Amino acid sequence: MRRRVLITGASAGIGVALARVYAEKGWDLILTARREAAMQALAAEIRAAHGVDAAVIAADLSEEDAPERLIEEIAARGLTVDGLINNAGFSRTTGFLATEPQAHAAMIRVMLSAPVALSRLVLPGMVERGFGRVINVASLAGQMPATGGDTLYGPIKSFLIKASQGLWLETRGTGVHVTALCPGYTLTEFHDVNGSREQVSSAYPAWMWQTADHVARVAHDSCEADRPRVTPGLANNVLAALGKLLPDDVALRIVAGHARRLGRI
C-alpha cells in the first residue's frame, strides 16, 4: 500500500521540491495552495514522471476554518493522510507598524494556526495506524534572534521548532516521526514575493544559498531517520550555534546590522 502525503504551499519553491522528492520516493500526493493552475501542472508532471497519484485541492489557509474544510474535502475523496508537510508561508518585510493588521493575522493563521490545526486533525489517525510523518517547515530564522522589519517571521518559525520537538516527544514509539526543517537562504521565489530579492542577493555570497531540491531531500531523509530538527548546510548550522552562544546584546546588534543592510529598519 502506497502512502499519501499532504503538502501545503505546494504551488512553488520548497513545496514543489518536496512534492517531487516524495513522488520520486513512491508517495502519492495531496497538493494544496491557493494557485490551482500551478498545482495542476505540477501534478501532471509528477504523474507522468513517477506514476503516482497526485490530488489537487485549492485552499487558502489564511481563512479561519480552512484546515477543517481541507481535511473534510480529503475525507470526502476517500483519501488518507499518512504524511503532513506544513510548508505554506510568507513574510512581510515592511516593518511591524507599516504592515496592516490583516496581513499580520494572515501570517499567523497560515504559518502558526494552520500547522497546529492540521497536525491535530491528522495525528490521531497516524497514531492509530502506527505510521505517520510530519514535517514542519520552519527556518534558520527561528534559531536566531528576531530581526526588525520581518518582526513576526522569526518568532513564528521558532514556535514551529518548539512545537515540532514537543510532538516528536509525544509520538515516540508510535511509528510517527516529526521533524522541524530549518532552511537558510534557499533559491526559490520566496524573496521575489516579499520584495527582498535584490537586497538578499547582493548581501550574501553564492555559497550561502542552497537549492530547494537539496533542502527537500534533507527534509525527507531526516524525517525518515526520525530527527526532531534539521538545519541543512554547514554554514547555517554554524550560524544557528552562534545564535545560541552569543550574548543577547551582541546578537541583537548583529541582526540589526543585517536588517539595515537589507533596508528593513
Side-chain angles (χ1 to χ4, degrees):
M1 183 181 66
R2 281 210 301 255
R3 305 293 187 180
R4 188 179 294 269
V5 59
L6 167 62
I7 305 174
T8 73
S11 62
I14 293 175
V16 169
L18 284 161
R20 288 173 175 150
V21 167
Y22 271 80
E24 178 188 305
K25 302 294 183 181
W27 287 67
D28 290 331
L29 308 175
I30 304 170
L31 309 176
T32 188
R34 292 179 301 171
R35 294 182 289 179
E36 184 171 1
M39 291 190 294
Q40 291 290 5
L42 176 63
E45 170 204 316
I46 284 171
R47 293 186 197 110
H50 302 291
V52 301
D53 183 57
V56 171
I57 302 175
D60 184 352
L61 292 178
S62 69
E63 296 174 359
E64 192 167 348
D65 61 346
E68 290 77 12
R69 287 190 282 112
L70 175 59
I71 297 303
E72 287 172 2
E73 175 64 21
I74 291 170
R77 296 191 187 191
L79 305 178
T80 299
V81 177
D82 302 297
L84 168 65
I85 302 178
N86 287 306
N87 167 73
F90 60 94
S91 74
R92 289 287 182 265
T93 61
T94 52
F96 185 83
L97 298 180
T99 301
E100 291 296 320
Q102 295 89 337
H104 286 154
M107 278 187 72
I108 292 169
R109 283 195 292 268
V110 170
M111 296 199 296
L112 194 157
S113 300
V116 170
L118 288 171
S119 297
R120 184 62 182 83
L121 288 165
V122 303
L123 273 169
M126 292 180 181
V127 171
E128 182 179 350
R129 294 187 297 272
F131 180 92
R133 301 289 185 266
V134 177
I135 296 176
N136 289 317
V137 180
S139 171
L140 175 64
Q143 301 177 79
M144 305 293 289
T147 63
D150 54 349
T151 310
L152 296 184
Y153 186 80
I156 290 172
K157 295 301 189 180
S158 181
F159 171 89
L160 280 180
I161 294 170
K162 298 297 186 184
S164 300
Q165 291 171 327
L167 288 176
W168 182 83
L169 288 169
E170 286 196 39
T171 57
R172 292 191 74 185
T174 66
V176 176
H177 299 178
V178 181
T179 297
L181 172 66
C182 303
Y185 284 108
T186 307
L187 294 167
T188 70
E189 66 179 46
F190 178 86
H191 298 287
D192 299 312
V193 173
N194 69 19
S196 64
R197 167 65 61 193
E198 183 176 348
Q199 295 96 318
V200 296
S201 296
S202 60
Y204 298 102
W207 58 265
M208 285 194 67
W209 291 82
Q210 296 182 316
T211 66
D213 178 73
H214 172 72
V215 169
R217 292 184 184 280
V218 170
H220 171 273
D221 294 348
S222 298
C223 193
E224 288 305 307
D226 200 16
R227 296 180 60 186
R229 180 179 67 188
V230 62
T231 303
L234 176 61
N236 292 327
N237 280 276
V238 171
L239 289 171
L242 287 174
K244 292 180 180 179
L245 295 174
L246 291 174
D248 282 352
D249 58 342
V250 175
L252 285 172
R253 284 200 298 270
I254 292 172
V255 296
H258 163 79
R260 280 193 294 270
R261 286 194 300 274
L262 298 180
R264 295 178 183 175
I265 61 174

